[in-house]
Amino acid sequence: MHLSDRVTGLFLALLGALAFWGGSRLPAVPGQDVGPAAFPMVIGAGLVLCGTLIALGIGRSFEAAEPEEQQPSRGLATHLGPVAAFIPPALLIFYVLVAETLGFLPTAAIILLVTALALGASARLAIGVALLGPPFVHLVFYKLLRVPLPAGLLPAPW
Amino acid sequence: MTAFIEAIGMVATAEVLIAILVSAVYGMVIGALPGLTATMATALLVPVTFYLSPIAAVATIITSSAMAIFSGDIPGCLMRIPGTPASAAYTDEAYALTRKGRAEEALGASLWFSAIGGIVGTVALMAIAPALAEVALSFSSFEYFWLSFLGLMCATLVARSSPIKAVAAALLGLLVACVGIENPGGVPRFTFGMTDLLGGIEALPALVGVFAVSEVMRAMTTGGPPPIPHRRLGSILAGQWALTRRYQKQMWRGNVIGVLIGALPGAGADMAAWVAYATSKRFSAEKEKFGTGHPEGLVESGAANNSALAGGWVPALLFGIPGDTITAIAIGVLYMKGLNPGPTLFTEKASSMYALYIVFLLANLLMIPLGIAMIRASRHVLRAPRAAAMPLILLLCAVGAFAIGNNPFAIVIVAVFGIVGYMMERNGYPVAALVLGIVMGTMVEQNFVTSLIKSDGDILPFFERPVSSLLAALTIAALAWPALVWILRRLRRAEPAR
């Protein structure tokens, strides 16, 4: 998703101002001039400066030409446009929210199915990936690497 | 000598050798698939490294990244799509050779000079790092402060973007590193009352987000690669010896450029390849042939991107300053494995260092037979549908991040940093600078605050010691350089108007 330099620059400047303010409110170490506040304040000030310069368009002459926004050839993502890029992080949050109750295998299958369909996989390929992927990942991480993946509603047979 | 024999013993175990072989195949496949980078291959390896011995863990990173940087050339040669960004500089050249019917020559040159680059880079690492370690033993917090600051500045200088945006990206990374209670006062900083943030934002899940999730996000809005045309390939290595002799100077120049750029913080194999290709063209006697399928630039930049890999380990092992994005991840693994970076690593754990050198050499030797096999199998590997690979990578990001500390919050960090990385890349902010800020934040702050306490808030002692004053001068020059270029450009533009 492409934003103008003015938007990103102002965002950074605001973030810097907040860091500076938040840093300045941190308690000092008794008997010392320099404490936990110094570093965030320096960074905050730097971000305010950089953000302002970016918003003003200074330094743009150094940038290479922007790549053109490509459109996907097919798949669910075409209907969503640039918003489609946020499907993967949304699915990760979905995993955090439901994996404990639903269990690893069903949650992983849903994630694989949605991502594959969004990328334009045929129904056959998407279902194949969703059915074969989770048991394989579970086997490697649960059995070999001993990662405690949640069992939930559908525990693995091993 | 005893340390060296000990090192051979450390490498010649079944665990390490199997780790090298498996990670080599893994790196080859990931590197060859367009959109999957060497850094991503390393990031996805992290959970596996937890369960390996220190040497085997680092060996998987060294091996898979070396293989991925080479095999990124394969789709570049055959389909004009670089497999990793490190191949982008000479993809057009390699594809032009393929169109002339000389695909074997292009692939062979990529393989042969990649292996040579890797070996020369390793020799350079072996020679430079211990020598620098001697010097670095006498460094105080002032030198470390300037060194880490200079590293951050270098990352902003070499970014192919606006230097101001690069500085902003580095500052953002430093701000991320501020989160948590690990600060001079030991107070919760920017934790917003969340216990999960008390320990700070862990670098490894953040890097998985920036390098792997953002790539899946990008795939959502871009079309997939076209199908690969069928092509019969002849002997891969035939004629490479002749090329080596003909372009010996270019090869060595490429190797040296690679090691130097690799050692520069924040600049890795991709930057080395761009610079080497440009240098090769600049000094070539046959400039007009560049871009039409001429192996000269291929030799130089193919060697450079692999020697850059070893170069990246020099500052990483010596100072904990990542030379490139791959070593940024590797530093996290080194700390976890008790191989804390620092000059003492070369004195106290000399045998481990020798073992790493041996792994580097083994990986680059193994590259030749495995690379030939990969080239032969490329038609099948490259047919793997993107719509099947990308979903699995997303799932591995979630499981891998969880595995780091069995904490679901790590997956939230992966998701957030996926968005951050994607948005930054789309808007011209270099992610390498952000990563450097995240990885080096604690180090910069610690040395900054320690130095200020030592000097009683005085700035002067920062410039008093000879090495620190030299580093300070370099840092200030690096800061002033973009401003100077900008002013000069303005003046030049104003002149004709008068």
Side-chain angles (χ1 to χ4, degrees):
Chain A
M1 194 179 275
H2 191 75
L3 302 168
S4 75
D5 279 358
R6 193 154 297 168
V7 175
T8 58
L10 285 178
F11 173 78
L12 287 173
L14 188 70
L15 190 72
L18 283 175
F20 188 89
W21 177 74
S24 69
R25 287 163 45 101
L26 288 169
V29 182
Q32 256 178 33
D33 299 338
V34 214
F39 200 58
M41 285 171 75
V42 172
I43 295 171
L47 270 177
V48 170
L49 180 71
C50 288
T52 315
L53 289 175
I54 292 166
L56 292 174
I58 293 168
R60 202 180 289 161
S61 55
F62 287 90
E63 283 184 59
E66 280 163 28
E68 275 176 48
E69 190 117 14
Q70 276 181 303
Q71 274 307 307
S73 41
R74 59 212 164 106
L76 208 62
T78 2
H79 302 295
L80 290 169
V83 185
F86 295 93
I87 295 174
L91 286 171
L92 290 175
I93 300 298
F94 169 77
Y95 179 95
V96 176
L97 293 177
V98 306
E100 204 58 49
T101 40
L102 205 57
F104 174 78
L105 291 176
T107 318
I110 295 171
I111 290 179
L112 291 181
L113 186 73
V114 174
T115 320
L117 287 176
L119 283 167
S122 62
R124 227 176 81 193
L125 178 66
I127 292 172
V129 170
L131 285 183
L132 297 178
F136 174 72
V137 173
H138 192 273
L139 199 65
V140 171
F141 278 83
Y142 189 80
K143 269 302 203 199
L144 288 177
L145 303 181
R146 312 230 170 254
V147 177
L149 295 172
L153 294 177
L154 187 68
W158 41 79
Chain B
M1 197 61 207
T2 45
F4 186 71
I5 293 166
E6 211 177 302
I8 293 179
M10 286 164 102
V11 177
T13 59
E15 188 202 12
V16 175
L17 295 177
I18 292 172
I20 290 178
L21 196 65
V22 173
S23 57
V25 175
Y26 162 82
M28 279 278 175
V29 173
I30 297 270
L33 293 173
L36 311 188
T37 63
T39 313
M40 185 202 234
T42 312
L44 293 178
L45 263 180
V46 169
V48 181
T49 59
F50 291 170
Y51 303 90
L52 298 174
S53 70
I55 297 300
V58 182
T60 57
I61 294 179
I62 292 172
T63 315
S64 62
S65 56
M67 302 296 167
I69 293 293
F70 152 68
S71 73
D73 295 352
I74 299 175
C77 281
L78 297 177
M79 299 150 73
R80 205 181 169 196
I81 299 168
T84 67
S87 310
Y90 50 87
T91 290
D92 281 340
E93 190 81 68
Y95 188 68
L97 265 171
T98 302
R99 271 216 316 237
K100 281 183 174 173
R102 288 156 66 188
E104 300 85 354
E105 190 183 339
L107 288 165
S110 293
L111 178 59
W112 180 246
F113 293 100
S114 286
I116 291 182
I119 291 170
V120 174
T122 310
V123 174
L125 169 69
M126 286 157 69
I128 299 170
L132 270 180
E134 294 273 318
V135 183
L137 275 173
S138 62
F139 280 12
S140 70
S141 65
F142 294 108
E143 279 87 5
Y144 271 108
F145 166 71
W146 284 116
L147 200 64
S148 45
F149 193 19
L150 179 63
L152 281 173
M153 281 301 112
C154 284
T156 62
L157 267 190
V158 296
R160 289 156 50 81
S161 147
S162 144
I164 298 174
K165 282 189 171 177
V167 172
L171 287 172
L172 195 63
L174 291 176
L175 190 61
V176 168
C178 281
V179 176
I181 54 168
E182 209 177 298
N183 57 55
V187 291
R189 196 163 63 181
F190 303 137
T191 53
F192 309 103
M194 290 163 76
T195 38
D196 280 317
L197 284 178
L198 279 179
I201 293 179
E202 269 186 88
L204 287 173
L207 300 195
V208 169
V210 167
F211 292 118
V213 176
S214 69
E215 215 61 61
V216 182
M217 292 175 75
R218 202 164 306 126
M220 289 281 164
T221 55
T222 51
I228 176 174
H230 180 69
R231 191 173 266 116
R232 281 192 73 84
L233 294 171
S235 169
I236 304 292
L237 288 182
Q240 292 311 322
W241 185 238
L243 272 184
T244 315
R245 289 187 29 185
R246 184 155 166 218
Y247 296 119
Q248 209 183 56
K249 200 176 82 193
Q250 283 82 344
M251 180 190 85
W252 285 112
R253 201 168 52 203
N255 282 326
V256 172
I257 290 175
V259 172
L260 290 179
I261 292 193
L264 269 186
D270 44 344
M271 184 61 55
W274 283 106
V275 174
Y277 187 77
T279 316
S280 183
K281 189 172 176 182
R282 173 80 182 72
F283 292 103
S284 172
E286 304 165 297
K287 275 194 198 77
E288 67 289 346
K289 284 192 184 168
F290 273 71
T292 62
H294 184 54
E296 189 176 345
L298 219 58
V299 169
E300 186 154 349
S301 41
N305 61 12
N306 277 75
S307 60
L309 284 180
W313 285 83
V314 175
L317 290 171
L318 267 176
F319 308 114
I321 296 176
D324 55 15
T325 48
I326 294 166
T327 44
I329 301 169
I331 286 174
V333 175
L334 285 172
Y335 273 114
M336 225 146 27
K337 291 289 167 194
L339 291 170
N340 293 11
T344 48
L345 199 58
F346 292 85
T347 47
E348 284 164 17
K349 296 228 164 82
S351 53
S352 294
M353 289 302 104
Y354 286 126
L356 293 193
Y357 304 152
I358 297 171
V359 170
F360 259 110
L361 293 176
L362 270 181
N364 283 296
L365 290 176
L366 186 65
M367 184 190 284
I368 291 183
L370 262 183
I372 293 176
M374 182 65 204
I375 290 170
R376 299 261 177 241
S378 60
R379 206 157 48 87
H380 305 288
V381 174
L382 289 175
R383 252 200 336 225
R386 194 177 65 141
M390 286 295 180
L392 274 174
I393 284 172
L394 185 64
L395 184 61
L396 288 177
C397 291
V399 181
F402 177 71
I404 292 174
N406 294 342
N407 181 1
F409 186 71
I411 307 177
V412 178
I413 292 187
V414 170
V416 169
F417 277 87
I419 297 174
V420 170
Y422 174 77
M423 291 302 276
M424 284 178 64
E425 188 117 37
R426 287 292 304 138
N427 292 295
Y429 291 85
V431 287
L434 168 87
V435 165
L436 222 62
I438 296 177
V439 174
M440 290 167 54
T442 314
M443 178 179 170
V444 177
E445 172 168 24
Q446 231 167 36
N447 290 309
F448 174 63
V449 172
T450 315
S451 304
L452 270 181
I453 291 173
K454 271 200 266 187
S455 71
D456 230 357
D458 194 3
I459 294 291
L460 216 60
F462 278 80
F463 303 93
E464 271 172 356
R465 294 164 59 99
V467 177
S468 76
S469 59
L470 175 73
L471 290 169
L474 284 173
T475 313
I476 290 164
L479 250 174
W481 179 250
L484 204 69
V485 171
W486 188 71
I487 292 168
L488 277 178
R489 273 196 208 172
R490 280 263 148 146
L491 285 178
R492 215 172 292 158
R493 217 177 301 158
E495 240 162 51
R498 241 186 285 155

